[in-house]
Amino acid sequence: LIGHDGHPEVEGTMGQLPGSILLVQNIEDAEAVHVADPEKVAYVTQTTLSLDDTAGIVAVLKRRFPAMPEPPTEDICYATTNRQHSIRRLAEITDLVIVIGAPNSSNSNRLVEVAAVRGTPAHRIQSADELDDGWFAGVETVAITAGASVPEYLVDETVTYLRQRFGAEVMEDPVGEPERVEFPVPKELRETSPA
């Protein structure tokens, strides 16, 4: 399991098969992991990881365990993947990145890292109350994004703050992929819900 120790998703996954899942957190772990049968190994990933970091870890595991199959679908969630792609691109054309999300949000923290790797200052906030006017000195363009589970009103509050405080003009990313994924209620729950 490629993921971060202590993350609830990792703890829950590892708890399903105690002793049968090995946690790989980084390239060093991937180089050092030992399995009983190298022909019978597979991997899955925490859904909120950095695409860049995961690719490096997977490359090491594939080199070490060539028979290892890939998951049938991408494990990293759609919103996380989409937002990392957008911030990677936007960080190259903006002066500052603001990420809205909780301190313990893995996908929000990955967004900050993705921007910082490209040399763009990035800050994670939980709400507009945490914005620091000093961050905007000499800044002409700001990219705003949010973790996958952040309510829209927190994004709206941040945009309103920048409009009121700095006269910001807002433009939606014309290149980014719109997020229109819906998750229907499972059939079992629909059948038992009251009419």
Side-chain angles (χ1 to χ4, degrees):
L1 171 60
I2 301 170
H4 296 131
D5 189 27
H7 188 277
E9 182 182 347
V10 168
E11 288 182 359
T13 302
M14 293 184 76
Q16 293 300 308
L17 297 167
S20 298
I21 300 174
L22 302 173
L23 180 62
V24 175
Q25 298 187 78
N26 51 45
I27 288 176
E28 293 79 17
D29 287 354
E31 290 286 5
V33 69
H34 293 286
V35 298
D37 185 348
E39 299 297 314
K40 293 183 178 180
V41 63
Y43 76 92
V44 294
T45 66
Q46 178 183 321
T47 62
T48 56
L49 294 176
S50 159
L51 297 169
D52 294 335
D53 292 345
T54 304
I57 294 168
V58 169
V60 169
L61 292 173
K62 283 183 171 183
R63 176 180 46 78
R64 292 195 58 221
F65 309 107
M68 180 180 68
E70 293 195 16
T73 61
E74 177 63 53
D75 287 345
I76 297 176
C77 86
Y78 171 74
T80 298
T81 300
N82 190 26
R83 292 169 196 204
Q84 285 182 26
H85 285 308
S86 291
I87 285 302
R88 183 178 295 114
R89 185 176 40 75
L90 291 173
E92 295 179 2
I93 60 171
T94 59
D95 301 317
L96 177 70
V97 172
I98 300 296
V99 177
I100 305 161
N104 63 344
S105 166
S106 179
N107 67 83
S108 297
N109 289 319
R110 296 304 76 76
L111 290 167
V112 171
E113 291 171 5
V114 167
V117 163
R118 274 137 191 89
T120 305
H123 301 280
R124 187 211 39 80
I125 61 171
Q126 290 191 87
S127 70
D129 296 336
E130 294 181 3
L131 289 168
D132 181 334
D133 285 355
W135 296 342
F136 302 95
V139 169
E140 291 188 28
T141 55
V142 177
I144 299 172
T145 189
S149 59
V150 170
E152 187 70 25
Y153 79 88
L154 291 175
V155 176
D156 293 340
E157 286 177 358
T158 302
V159 169
T160 298
Y161 177 92
L162 294 176
R163 281 183 165 146
Q164 292 175 347
R165 188 80 175 109
F166 301 105
E169 295 178 29
V170 177
M171 182 176 80
E172 287 197 31
D173 180 11
V175 179
E177 227 11 75
E179 293 178 9
R180 291 184 170 64
V181 175
E182 293 185 26
F183 299 97
V185 174
K187 182 181 176 184
E188 299 80 20
L189 295 176
R190 283 184 298 205
E191 291 174 354
T192 60
S193 57

